[in-house]
Amino acid sequence: MAKFDLTTKNCQYLDRHLTFPLLEFLLQKNVFDQTSLLKFILETLSKTNMLDYTNDIRERLTQEKSQPDEVNQRRSAVLVTLKELQVEVAPLMKCMEELKNPDSSKDHKSVILALQQTLDYDIILSAQKLAKFLYECGNYNDSLSYLYVCMLAMEPSDKNYLGVLWGKLAVEILTLNWPTALEDLTRLRDFIDNYNFTPIQVLQQRAWLIHWSVLVFFNHAKGRDLIIDMFLYKPQYLNAIQTMCPHILRYLATAVIINRGRRNALKDLIKVIQQESYTYRDPITEFLEHLYVNFDFEAARKKLNECQTVISNDFFIIGCLTEFIENARLMIFETFCRIHQCITIGMLADKLNMKPDEAECWIVNLIRNARLDAKIDSKLGHVVMGTQPLSPYQQLVEKIDSLSVRSEALTLLVERKHKAKTQEAGEGHWKYY
C-alpha cells in the first residue's frame, strides 16, 4: 500500500495540526514502520506547544512514563507567555462578552464599529497572536473566539486578514464543525480569487485550499456535489490541480463515482484523467479508464479490488468505501449491459466479483428501487436490459453545464488580461501555519 499512499503529498499542503489525524490513521493501518512514524510525529510536535500530546507520543515511542525536565520547563514557559498575551488583550474581553450576550441591545454591526473605533490596532494584533498561541497549544475552541473577533475587527485589506481566515478554517475542521467550515471555505475561496496575488502566489493559495477543502467536502452533506463543481468545473482550480497536485484526481474521481446524480461529469473527468495519466495514476483513475476508455471489464474488475484496498487506507475517503464499491459495481453492470443488452447472471457475477445468487439478488434490488430498467429471466438465467434514452431534460442540463464552463473560462481570461494591465507588485504570500 505504501506506493499508493498520498499522506506525504497531502501533508505538504496542510497545516501541521491537520496532519496529526492523518498520521495517527497511518499508525493504526501499519502501512509504514511504527517507530519511524512515531519519531516523525514527535519531530512535528516539537514545533507546537501541544505538550501533553508530545508526552503521549514519547511514551509510546520509548515506553517510559517519566517526563524529561525540558518538558516541564517548556510547560512553564508556555504558561508565562499565555498570561502575558492574555493581559495584552484584556480590553477585548468586554467586547467579546457583548458579542456573546443575547440580551445586548447592540447589533453586530455596532459592536464591529466599536471594535474598530475604540481599540488600538496593536490590541487586535495581540489577539491574533493569542489565537495563534492557543492554536499551537491545541486549545482550538478558545483560539476560535479570538479569531472571530480578529475577523470582525480587521479590514479585508489588512495584510493579516488572510492568516485569520486560514486559521479559522483550520479550527473549524479540527473541531469537526463542518457547516461552519464550509462557510469559511467559501469565504476564503472568494478572498483568494479576488485578492491581488501574483500568479504564483494565487496558484499556491489554491493548491492549499484544494487540499483543505477535501477534508470538508467528504464530511459535509453537500460536499460530493461541491467538490465536483469546484475541482472539475472551475477552470482556475482544475488548472491548479493539473499544475500542482494531480494526485487530487483520486478524490475527484471518488466523488464522481459515489455521486449517481452527477454521471454527466464522467465524460469531462475521464478527459482530465487521460490528460494527466503521465503524471498521476492510481487504481481509482485506472478503473475509470479501463471501464470507459478501453471497455476492458476484466481489468476493471481487478482494479476494483485494488480500489477497495486503496480507499481502506486513505484517511480522506475511507468513509466512502461501501458507497464506492456499490456504485462502481453498478457502473460496471450498466456499461456491460449497454454493450451486450442480454447477459447471463453467471457472467455478470464473475464481472462483479459476486456469487451468482448474490448477483441476482443485487440486480433484483436495483430493479425494485427503480435504479435499473431491466428484466430477469430466471429460467434461462438472463438479464435483459430495457432501453434508456437520455431524457431531453438531461440533454439540456449537460448543454447548460458545458456553456457555463466555457463562459466562466472566457470571463477569467478577460479578467486576467485586465489585471495584467493594472496589477501592481504583489504582496507577500501569507499563510497561517
Side-chain angles (χ1 to χ4, degrees), residues 227-258:
I227 190 173
I228 296 171
D229 294 335
M230 178 174 166
F231 289 4
L232 190 59
Y233 292 117
K234 285 190 178 294
Q236 64 271 43
Y237 285 92
L238 179 58
N239 177 62
I241 290 171
Q242 293 175 303
T243 305
M244 301 281 287
C245 45
H247 59 272
I248 291 294
L249 289 175
R250 170 185 293 183
Y251 306 114
L252 177 57
T254 299
V256 172
I257 289 171
I258 65 176

Side-chain angles (χ1 to χ4, degrees), residues 6-205:
L6 295 180
T7 305
T8 303
K9 292 180 179 179
N10 289 332
C11 286
Q12 295 176 24
Y13 298 93
L14 296 174
D15 179 272
R16 63 175 64 93
H17 288 255
L18 295 177
T19 67
F20 294 136
L22 278 69
L23 298 173
E24 288 284 357
F25 177 79
L26 283 185
L27 283 172
Q28 297 174 10
K29 291 296 179 179
N30 291 317
V31 176
F32 298 100
D33 177 67
Q34 299 283 291
T35 302
S36 300
L37 196 51
L38 284 169
K39 287 181 178 178
F40 179 76
I41 296 174
L42 193 61
E43 181 184 351
T44 308
L45 280 168
S46 67
K47 300 169 185 175
T48 73
N49 295 322
M50 300 174 70
L51 302 181
D52 291 334
Y53 186 27
T54 302
N55 192 53
D56 176 60
I57 295 296
R58 184 180 286 107
E59 285 182 13
R60 291 157 67 180
L61 184 61
T62 64
Q63 303 299 317
E64 296 178 2
K65 293 189 176 181
S66 59
Q67 292 188 17
D69 291 338
E70 63 175 290
V71 174
N72 294 324
Q73 292 173 1
R74 280 191 64 194
R75 192 184 301 277
S76 299
V78 166
L79 291 174
V80 169
T81 305
L82 181 60
K83 288 181 180 179
E84 291 175 352
L85 288 171
Q86 286 174 336
V87 170
E88 289 182 19
V89 301
L92 272 177
M93 298 306 295
K94 184 177 180 180
C95 294
M96 290 176 66
E97 289 301 321
E98 288 188 29
L99 281 173
K100 295 178 181 178
N101 183 10
D103 298 327
S104 176
S105 59
K106 294 184 177 179
D107 58 16
H108 275 208
K109 290 184 178 180
S110 300
V111 176
I112 293 170
L113 188 61
L115 279 172
Q116 293 173 341
Q117 291 180 348
T118 62
L119 296 176
D120 292 334
Y121 182 69
D122 290 341
I123 295 177
I124 304 301
L125 289 182
S126 295
Q128 186 187 11
K129 290 178 183 177
L130 179 55
K132 182 68 163 64
F133 192 80
L134 290 167
Y135 178 83
E136 293 298 343
C137 292
N139 193 343
Y140 303 126
N141 287 320
D142 287 346
S143 175
L144 181 61
S145 300
Y146 291 101
L147 284 168
Y148 180 66
V149 172
C150 290
M151 195 169 68
L152 292 178
M154 284 182 177
E155 295 289 345
S157 58
D158 192 301
K159 64 182 182 180
N160 296 299
Y161 186 75
L162 180 57
V164 172
L165 292 182
W166 279 111
K168 190 169 185 300
L169 176 57
V171 170
E172 300 293 1
I173 291 173
L174 288 164
T175 54
L176 310 183
N177 190 355
W178 304 118
T180 308
L182 181 60
E183 294 174 6
D184 289 338
L185 175 64
T186 304
R187 185 184 295 110
L188 182 55
R189 186 180 67 200
D190 292 342
F191 184 90
I192 292 171
D193 291 345
N194 294 296
Y195 195 74
N196 194 25
F197 287 117
T198 64
I200 292 180
Q201 287 174 339
V202 75
L203 194 61
Q204 291 172 332
Q205 291 282 339

